[in-house]
Amino acid sequence: MEEDALNQSTAAEADISLHMLSESPSGSVVIYVVPESSTVLPEGVSVYVGQRRTALLRAGGQMRVAVALKEVLASLETWIKQVLQVMSFSHGDITAALSDRVRPGDRSREGLADSMRAFKSSPGYEITFSLLNPDPTSHLLHWDVEAAISSYIQPLLSKMAPVANFSIDSQILYYAVLGVNPRYDPTLNAYTLNADSLSHVINPVEARLGSSAASSNPVLNFLLYVPDSRHSPLHITDHRRHTVPSNAFSSPRWGGIMVYNVNASGTELPVDVHIDMRRVMGVFLPQLRLMLGVQSAAPPPGFLIGPCGNAGLADWELDRLMWTRSVENVATATTTITSLAQLLDQIGNIVINDNIAEQVSSAVASLQLAVGQLEVGNLGLAMQYSKEAILQSERAFFDPSLLHLLYFPDDQKFAIYIPLFLPMCVPILLSLLKMASEVRQRPGQGQAKKD
Amino acid sequence: MAAFRSNIFMLAFFLCGFSVFVTGDVQTNQMNVAETVFIDNVPTTETDASPPSVTEQSQTAEEKRLWEGTEVGTNLADGASDNKVDHVHDTMQATDAPPSPPAKDQTQRFAFDERIWEATNVEINLVEDAPPIRDKEADEADHVLDTMQTQDFPPPSTAKDQFQEELVIKPLHSGDIYASFQFRTQWDTDFLLGSKVSHYRLFPKSLGQVISKFSVRELHISFTQGYWRTMQWGQPFLPSPPGAELWVWFQDTVTDVDLAWKELTNVLSGIFCASLNFIDSTNTVQPSASFKPLGVGNVTDQRFLRYAVLPREIVCTENLTPWKKLLPCGSKAGLAVLMKSEKLFHSSFHSQALHIRPVCKDWQCKSTSWELRQTLNVVFDLHTSGQGKREWSLFKMFSRTLTEACPLASSSKVYVDITDNPQGELFELSPATPLVSQAVVLGDGRTYSVYDLTDHATFGQTHSLNVLLRWRAAESGEMLRPLLHGERYVAGYGLQTGEIHTLVYNNHPYRAFPVLLLDTVPWYLRLYIHTLTVTSKGRDNKPSYIHYQPSKDRLQPHLLEMLIQLPPNSVTEVTVQFERALLKWTEYTPDPNHGFYVGSSVISALVPSVVAMDTNNTQERPLFSSFFPCKEESTYFMRIYTEPLLVNLPTPDFSMPYNVICLTCTVVAVGYGSLYNLLTRTFQVEEPSQGLAKRLANIIRRLRGVPLLT
């Protein structure tokens, strides 16, 4: 059966038919070793990573002579390690997930940037697409964002549903301008925004975006900016002053901005512009993947990563994300509970209500369950328990009855009694002084008496 | 040891005194009745003859007849009406009757807008006692259809949402200028049945999220600085009480309305940078009759209504900026460029409001769309700032001129009220505009000059529009006294008891009409409801409907709603006595000696129109049409707010506890010190040394050779 599947003409087809044969549980990786003579893998490729949880590995040249199973495995070991590094949860992922809590130390700059880019784990995310139209008198923009979201964004989000809840909004903002004036570049015959100035772009726009009124989940913003006719076309240039082909950039843990140039050649204003949503979503989708923490590191040489299907996310990528998120959630919940304990240590007379105690204990129980499930490799349950742990620990920590300022410190109580204690101290101190002076005089007197 | 013991005694004594002081205000509450008291005398049917109320009924009827007796000759329309309910039905029919065809297109549209706003208002407001009927919506739809067909409304555009903006400028008789902005966004969508994804174009996203999250059916919020002087300025287009006012109708799917209300107020306080988060159960009420939904819908169960006023709220730029941000064009284009906060807040009256409600989407009213109305009303006192010259212009008022309409607006107009100036003898308006519009606003026929900003010719050569009005005559004519007017004050002396007086004026020369009076009084003024008296023209005027909900200490305020019939040309006085409660020391505001605010009373009424009073009316119209007063314009809905009250509560000296601590502690310490010295010091007799006088005397004696003193 599996041999039949592996006899397919291309790796992608083999991958699909292998998946039909047996579905591997989440968190696992199945590696099929194919003989060197097999034509499934293209020339020069030794490992094919499928869109499910399978990988095809071409046996090395020395395999022909090897006989014992042990030797075969030994020779494949380096490859398998590499496959696992790509497809499964590795040491690097742990450090990335805990980057906020672990000192960066010797980690590479790039790894740090990667981990900073993604949003922190949260039970839900709000995704907002905004179309910025700085000049509605010249452009009348139409975008079919509803259809674009349902065909491009929604498959990815429904696949990621076990990780978090997502809600999507879109809006059109008029007279929204960028914070930087683009510079005219005569060589390109266009206006340019340099990479250095991009950090100033967002602030004035953000005031108009409006924070999410209905929930406290983090918001991912995706802005589509259509420059007005006086600053058109507008290109984003990188540090070496080359134009960026996608004409977009992303801001870590905030969102992405894309500049969409229209050639307003029409004589009659305003010009109707229909925006090509395919092009736009082609930019926003990878940005969204990055923001949500799906990492796409460059594969090692000899690896071929299969196309990830219409969901935009392979099964093994989802597994890896769930590993990362669970670990991150466990760490966050632990920190929250620890800091709650620290707070209670600091303020001795704080009142802990029963419901808080209950929440803390159930948070700890969920944490233990989550860790147990992680050990077993049961990702879905681990994710769910870790989410519960976070929710309960946060609810306990942010309970209004635990407000620090409700408990005024002891030194203030002493301040109230100062008018009592201060005058009462005066005669005591005076008599103490007197006693001290008497003690000092007494040896002298004793000597005098001896004489 | 003894000193120590006495010290303990002193401290214990002092602490006892202090705790008595603190707990002294937990007094017995006389009004701590939980259930709501309903006193309802209105007969719901004509054949009503319930035994207990029959005497009162006949009494009121008798009184009523008395008034009618005096004015029966003039009152043609009301001759048949025996009681209030009948009268109410009467007026309802009036709104249903097809209006007479007006003259111009412009007029129709404006008038139509106004009337729809009023008509829905009236209709729902008056069927307060009837249970929600299924047919009502259909009825309403018919009514709307009716009005629609008689007036040619512009065909609905294909866009799913549309935006209109409008500015009305009205020179007031007092010499002030009243400017009223209205922005209206209409969106054909359903927040509640649609999927989770929401896509916003002109409607602000933040408000859309609020509506869908909290299942809000209607939301009305206003922020007002200053008090609208009805006697000098006439009626505003949209009334609002000083401070912040919020009233919300929730969908009937909401299970926990109180929770939703609490979260909603917190979210809104974030959106508008206002202290709406101070709205809690102690200032929230559920009026039974005064605030009915203004949009379409058939739920009138007061369980889904919440109403709260914060009379203390100060309105300033931080509230205006988020309000402006909700406009599609922001303050970048259109009429909103005039809104410069330093000018808007340098005014006698400033009120900004926001109304969200479902309205009919099309002629048949089969589906609804959402309407967001943002209004801003300002009264400028240009007379004093303009060195006595009576002229104004847009630039003088707002320090800006208009250069373009908001490109997203389907209509953008400036109206100037020129009713008092038909021949141009009072003032001169420049630039002149050929467009004139006539409308019946608040029962009064008005004439407006219209500047259409979507037309490029409006801006002329200079590419900017600066409407300028120069007065020719020194005095403008007498203002017609407003037909309905309210006042309120606190009487009494001392800090224990007092009396709230509410005066309601009916200035109509010959017609009586009913008003609904709503009073919300905080719990710390304990109303003696048995002292409630309503008098007009020197005799007792029994309210036909009373809804009173007593307060609960620290939980809910008093709510008093009454339906009172106002006799013509009269002042009706409502008085009720109260006792001031002692608050706990943490319940006082940071400035307790400023006093505590009691929100405005709300007076809602169907007021007979001025148009019907107009004697000239008969000269312009054919005789056969003008014998009976035109029903369609004979009454209109009006809501007015009285002044908020400022009441002084008994306020302790908050530094007293610490002063007492200091004083007692010092006394104790001094006592302790002396006792301590007494106990620890050793006393011994000491040979006194020779005094100075003796020494001097001895020196003199030695000189004289006399024996020395010992």
Side-chain angles (χ1 to χ4, degrees):
Chain A
M1 297 272 283
E2 281 164 356
E3 272 182 33
D4 288 344
L6 288 174
N7 282 337
Q8 304 272 352
S9 57
T10 64
E13 286 171 17
D15 180 43
I16 291 166
S17 43
L18 279 173
H19 174 71
M20 305 280 266
L21 286 176
S22 66
E23 187 153 1
S24 44
S26 71
S28 63
V29 171
V30 182
I31 302 173
Y32 293 92
V33 182
V34 294
E36 200 187 5
S37 57
S38 168
T39 56
V40 169
L41 295 179
E43 201 60 39
V45 173
S46 44
V47 177
Y48 175 83
V49 179
Q51 54 169 299
R52 307 288 174 182
R53 298 184 181 90
T54 48
L56 302 181
L57 170 59
R58 193 199 294 271
Q62 70 275 37
M63 288 285 293
R64 247 169 280 155
V65 284
V67 261
L69 187 65
K70 224 176 214 173
E71 282 174 51
V72 176
L73 287 180
S75 66
L76 286 175
E77 197 181 339
T78 51
W79 281 108
I80 288 176
K81 266 187 183 164
Q82 275 191 352
V83 170
L84 287 181
Q85 186 81 23
V86 170
M87 290 181 72
S88 191
F89 189 59
S90 60
H91 183 72
D93 290 325
I94 294 185
T95 46
L98 305 179
S99 61
D100 284 352
R101 295 170 191 85
V102 180
R103 210 175 285 274
D106 55 342
R107 289 178 53 217
S108 65
R109 224 182 118 83
E110 195 142 318
L112 192 70
D114 258 352
S115 69
M116 298 258 292
R117 188 176 297 136
F119 268 85
K120 290 184 67 181
S121 178
S122 153
Y125 298 95
E126 311 261 324
I127 302 172
T128 302
F129 292 93
S130 306
L131 173 61
L132 307 187
N133 187 356
D135 189 10
T137 50
S138 60
H139 295 149
L140 207 60
L141 302 178
H142 304 278
W143 68 337
D144 190 6
V145 67
E146 211 160 345
I149 284 174
S150 65
S151 54
Y152 297 105
I153 304 290
Q154 202 58 52
L156 173 68
L157 297 186
S158 35
K159 187 148 192 186
M160 287 182 72
V163 181
N165 302 322
F166 297 95
S167 69
I168 311 177
D169 285 315
S170 79
Q171 61 180 345
I172 303 183
L173 296 176
Y174 301 93
Y175 292 103
V177 286
L178 300 182
V180 196
N181 268 335
R183 199 173 295 157
Y184 183 69
D185 190 341
T187 56
L188 290 169
N189 193 20
Y191 290 85
T192 57
L193 270 181
N194 200 357
D196 299 326
S197 61
L198 291 181
S199 49
H200 307 293
V201 161
I202 297 170
N203 285 352
V205 181
E206 194 168 22
R208 299 239 3 232
L209 289 178
S211 55
S212 169
S215 78
S216 51
N217 290 332
V219 184
L220 284 81
N221 290 291
F222 292 99
L223 311 185
L224 183 65
Y225 180 76
V226 179
D228 53 330
S229 47
R230 274 163 296 143
H231 294 121
S232 198
L234 178 65
H235 294 293
I236 294 174
T237 55
D238 60 9
H239 290 286
R240 291 186 298 278
R241 311 198 65 78
H242 297 305
T243 55
V244 178
S246 68
N247 219 3
F249 67 98
S250 73
S251 170
R253 293 189 183 175
W254 188 83
I257 295 185
M258 179 184 179
V259 176
Y260 187 96
N261 287 312
V262 293
N263 35 357
S265 52
T267 47
E268 194 187 337
L269 294 174
V271 187
D272 273 311
V273 178
H274 290 270
I275 288 170
D276 179 13
M277 290 313 283
R278 199 183 139 82
R279 210 178 104 196
V280 174
M281 287 301 166
V283 174
F284 282 159
L285 194 63
Q287 283 183 346
L288 179 64
R289 270 170 56 102
L290 281 178
M291 298 286 159
L292 292 177
V294 184
Q295 271 144 28
S296 48
F303 272 59
L304 178 68
I305 296 194
C308 46
N310 62 357
L313 188 70
D315 280 357
W316 56 269
E317 280 179 314
L318 180 66
D319 287 350
R320 220 170 65 161
L321 187 66
M322 277 166 74
W323 277 112
T324 323
R325 289 305 193 206
S326 311
V327 169
E328 205 182 322
N329 285 351
V330 167
T332 312
T334 320
T335 332
T336 313
I337 292 178
T338 319
S339 48
L340 180 61
Q342 274 172 2
L343 178 80
L344 302 191
D345 283 343
Q346 264 175 18
I347 310 169
N349 57 351
I350 202 163
V351 179
I352 304 287
N353 295 329
D354 283 349
N355 63 329
I356 298 174
E358 223 166 81
Q359 269 157 2
V360 169
S361 59
S362 67
V364 172
S366 321
L367 266 181
Q368 283 164 343
L369 279 173
V371 172
Q373 295 293 346
L374 270 181
E375 273 169 5
V376 180
N378 207 340
L379 280 182
L381 279 176
M383 186 75 215
Q384 198 184 326
Y385 285 131
S386 67
K387 265 200 268 185
E388 276 170 25
I390 273 210
L391 283 178
Q392 280 152 348
S393 61
E394 304 256 301
R395 211 176 296 147
F397 187 77
F398 291 108
D399 195 276
S401 74
L402 293 188
L403 202 62
H404 188 274
L405 291 175
L406 285 182
Y407 300 91
F408 64 89
D410 288 337
D411 45 346
Q412 288 185 10
K413 288 179 195 160
F414 289 120
I416 292 175
Y417 288 111
I418 277 186
L420 178 65
F421 289 129
L422 209 62
M424 270 169 49
C425 282
V426 173
I428 297 174
L429 280 180
L430 282 179
S431 54
L432 278 179
L433 280 178
K434 203 177 164 193
M435 277 169 68
S437 66
E438 274 175 9
V439 166
R440 206 178 300 144
Q441 276 174 12
R442 197 166 292 151
Q445 278 174 2
Q447 223 147 27
K449 269 179 191 168
K450 233 177 250 175
D451 294 338
Chain B
M1 195 57 210
F4 180 66
R5 195 171 295 152
S6 73
N7 188 4
I8 294 261
F9 280 141
M10 282 292 279
L11 199 64
F13 175 70
F14 158 71
L15 282 179
C16 283
F18 185 65
S19 65
V20 164
F21 165 76
V22 168
T23 53
D25 58 346
V26 189
Q27 294 177 346
T28 50
N29 182 11
Q30 295 138 349
M31 287 299 185
N32 225 340
V33 192
E35 66 267 27
T36 311
V37 179
F38 266 98
I39 311 165
D40 192 346
N41 287 335
V42 183
T44 43
T45 56
E46 294 296 314
T47 56
D48 174 85
S50 51
S53 68
V54 100
T55 49
E56 295 163 45
Q57 197 57 47
S58 59
Q59 201 181 342
T60 46
E62 198 178 292
E63 271 178 40
K64 175 90 198 233
R65 227 164 287 132
L66 256 176
W67 302 333
E68 274 167 11
T70 51
E71 279 103 19
V72 77
T74 42
N75 196 349
L76 285 169
D78 265 25
S81 64
D82 256 336
N83 58 32
K84 291 101 203 170
V85 175
D86 200 279
H87 170 69
V88 160
H89 283 301
D90 209 23
T91 47
M92 261 189 62
Q93 280 161 9
T95 50
D96 272 9
S100 59
K104 275 185 221 162
D105 189 23
Q106 288 293 340
T107 326
Q108 285 162 22
R109 221 176 296 165
F110 185 78
F112 170 71
D113 266 355
E114 255 334 294
R115 209 164 301 134
I116 280 296
W117 175 267
E118 283 161 18
T120 45
N121 203 343
V122 163
E123 190 149 312
I124 298 163
N125 228 306
L126 290 170
V127 200
E128 57 220 3
D129 287 329
I133 327 159
R134 183 68 206 93
D135 294 359
K136 214 180 117 196
E137 204 175 313
D139 194 359
E140 202 170 275
D142 275 350
H143 160 57
V144 169
L145 178 63
D146 213 19
T147 12
M148 286 273 192
Q149 279 169 346
T150 45
Q151 306 173 349
D152 47 354
F153 194 70
S157 60
T158 48
K160 273 181 77 187
D161 45 1
Q162 51 170 336
F163 174 67
Q164 291 165 279
E165 53 179 9
E166 191 178 289
L167 165 64
V168 184
I169 298 172
K170 184 177 171 187
L172 298 171
H173 286 270
S174 58
D176 301 318
I177 305 294
Y178 175 34
S180 169
F181 293 87
Q182 286 219 19
F183 303 90
R184 181 174 183 257
T185 311
Q186 200 177 343
W187 188 21
D188 302 344
T189 186
D190 203 335
F191 281 107
L192 307 148
L193 301 177
S195 61
K196 210 174 157 196
V197 181
S198 305
H199 304 283
Y200 300 90
R201 208 174 74 93
L202 296 176
F203 204 88
K205 182 174 78 109
S206 53
L207 288 180
Q209 282 179 334
V210 166
I211 293 175
S212 57
K213 182 175 181 197
F214 297 106
S215 303
V216 171
R217 204 180 67 184
E218 250 181 53
L219 189 148
H220 303 269
I221 186 168
S222 75
F223 299 99
T224 308
Q225 186 72 33
Y227 178 66
W228 181 270
R229 290 160 222 286
T230 318
M231 286 310 274
Q232 291 168 32
W233 297 341
Q235 290 296 334
F237 296 124
L238 281 165
S240 56
E245 183 198 41
L246 174 67
W247 57 287
V248 176
W249 276 93
F250 289 95
Q251 300 278 346
D252 48 5
T253 49
V254 180
T255 49
D256 192 347
V257 181
D258 286 318
L259 184 73
W261 168 250
K262 178 136 193 60
E263 284 180 22
L264 176 68
T265 50
N266 279 306
V267 167
L268 287 177
S269 86
I271 291 180
F272 292 104
C273 288
S275 17
L276 297 172
N277 51 330
F278 283 106
I279 292 177
D280 53 12
S281 69
T282 60
N283 47 21
T284 303
V285 290
Q286 304 172 32
S288 65
S290 290
F291 289 91
K292 290 293 167 188
L294 297 179
V296 295
N298 55 0
V299 179
T300 49
D301 188 350
Q302 72 198 56
R303 279 188 298 135
F304 301 107
L305 168 66
R306 291 292 181 279
Y307 173 81
V309 177
L310 295 175
R312 219 187 142 85
E313 180 74 14
I314 308 284
V315 184
C316 204
T317 23
E318 76 268 21
N319 306 111
L320 183 68
T321 312
W323 185 89
K324 277 199 289 195
K325 240 196 294 187
L326 300 174
L327 296 170
C329 281
S331 50
K332 298 278 172 52
L335 293 174
V337 295
L338 297 178
M339 294 179 188
K340 275 184 83 176
S341 51
E342 69 259 36
K343 282 289 180 182
L344 288 185
F345 289 101
H346 191 77
S347 57
S348 313
F349 175 83
H350 172 99
S351 168
Q352 61 189 69
L354 187 142
H355 305 272
I356 301 174
R357 57 174 182 168
V359 293
C360 282
K361 185 173 168 180
D362 46 16
W363 298 9
Q364 281 84 22
C365 202
K366 286 204 175 107
S367 53
T368 56
S369 58
W370 286 84
E371 183 196 74
L372 164 69
R373 223 179 244 253
Q374 287 180 259
T375 63
L376 189 130
N377 296 313
V378 202
V379 174
F380 291 103
D381 185 4
L382 293 185
H383 200 51
T384 49
S385 61
Q387 288 94 36
K389 260 201 283 182
R390 288 191 77 180
E391 65 170 55
W392 59 262
S393 62
L394 284 185
F395 187 77
K396 230 172 154 178
M397 282 193 282
F398 302 105
S399 71
R400 296 270 175 91
T401 55
L402 290 169
T403 52
E404 56 170 345
C406 172
L408 308 163
S410 57
S411 100
S412 175
K413 291 196 176 78
V414 177
Y415 294 86
V416 181
D417 192 331
I418 54 162
T419 314
D420 303 328
N421 189 35
Q423 258 72 49
E425 71 271 9
L426 265 184
F427 52 78
E428 177 192 352
L429 189 65
S430 69
T433 173
L435 289 172
V436 173
S437 151
Q438 283 188 333
V440 176
V441 186
L442 295 167
D444 192 6
R446 312 295 299 181
T447 315
Y448 294 92
S449 286
V450 185
Y451 298 88
D452 188 354
L453 298 188
T454 47
D455 184 7
H456 280 285
T458 310
F459 298 107
Q461 309 264 302
T462 52
H463 299 290
S464 80
L465 174 67
N466 182 20
V467 180
L468 191 137
L469 194 144
R470 197 173 283 123
W471 287 81
R472 290 209 177 113
E475 275 303 310
S476 53
E478 265 309 294
M479 188 184 73
L480 204 66
R481 269 198 308 173
L483 293 183
L484 179 65
H485 172 55
E487 278 175 10
R488 198 150 74 130
Y489 57 90
V490 177
Y493 52 87
L495 283 177
Q496 199 187 354
T497 55
E499 200 170 29
I500 298 180
H501 287 247
T502 311
L503 304 179
V504 188
Y505 294 81
N506 176 4
N507 291 331
H508 201 285
Y510 57 84
R511 279 187 68 169
F513 56 86
V515 295
L516 265 169
L517 180 73
L518 169 83
D519 254 325
T520 50
V521 179
W523 63 267
Y524 40 78
L525 301 186
R526 295 185 174 130
L527 293 185
Y528 293 148
I529 201 69
H530 67 277
T531 62
L532 176 73
T533 54
V534 184
T535 50
S536 33
K537 287 190 167 175
R539 65 177 67 214
D540 200 26
N541 180 0
K542 207 163 188 68
S544 47
Y545 167 76
I546 296 183
H547 171 206
Y548 174 65
Q549 180 181 311
S551 72
K552 284 186 207 162
D553 273 8
R554 299 178 179 86
L555 278 181
Q556 74 178 32
H558 301 271
L559 168 69
L560 180 61
E561 267 186 296
M562 289 183 285
L563 185 67
I564 308 172
Q565 181 83 6
L566 300 184
N569 203 6
S570 69
V571 185
T572 304
E573 185 170 20
V574 181
T575 60
V576 62
Q577 290 179 6
F578 64 86
E579 186 192 64
R580 294 165 164 94
L582 263 173
L583 301 182
K584 288 183 183 168
W585 68 284
T586 47
E587 285 168 345
Y588 284 95
T589 48
D591 52 347
N593 291 308
H594 176 76
F596 288 76
Y597 283 94
V598 178
S600 315
S601 313
V602 188
I603 302 169
S604 323
L606 271 182
V607 180
S609 168
V610 187
V611 176
M613 252 164 70
D614 193 1
T615 46
N616 296 335
N617 232 11
T618 46
Q619 294 167 5
E620 292 160 11
R621 288 162 53 188
L623 290 177
F624 64 82
S625 71
S626 60
F627 178 60
F628 292 109
C630 178
K631 293 303 284 182
E632 166 246 340
E633 286 162 347
S634 70
T635 56
Y636 59 98
F637 179 76
M638 183 189 269
R639 179 172 288 151
I640 62 170
Y641 293 91
T642 64
E643 303 92 336
L645 297 178
L646 189 56
V647 180
N648 267 315
L649 289 189
T651 309
D653 173 11
F654 287 103
S655 65
M656 193 193 73
Y658 195 71
N659 294 345
V660 172
I661 290 177
C662 286
L663 199 70
T664 17
C665 289
T666 315
V667 169
V668 167
V670 168
Y672 167 81
S674 46
L675 208 61
Y676 178 85
N677 280 342
L678 211 64
L679 292 174
T680 53
R681 288 260 167 94
T682 52
F683 297 93
Q684 54 194 10
V685 183
E686 204 172 88
E687 200 63 28
S689 62
Q690 284 181 340
L692 185 66
K694 214 177 194 176
R695 239 182 273 164
L696 282 174
N698 280 345
I699 290 169
I700 297 167
R701 274 167 179 259
R702 198 179 290 149
L703 290 175
R704 283 172 58 198
V706 187
L708 298 180
L709 290 174
T710 52

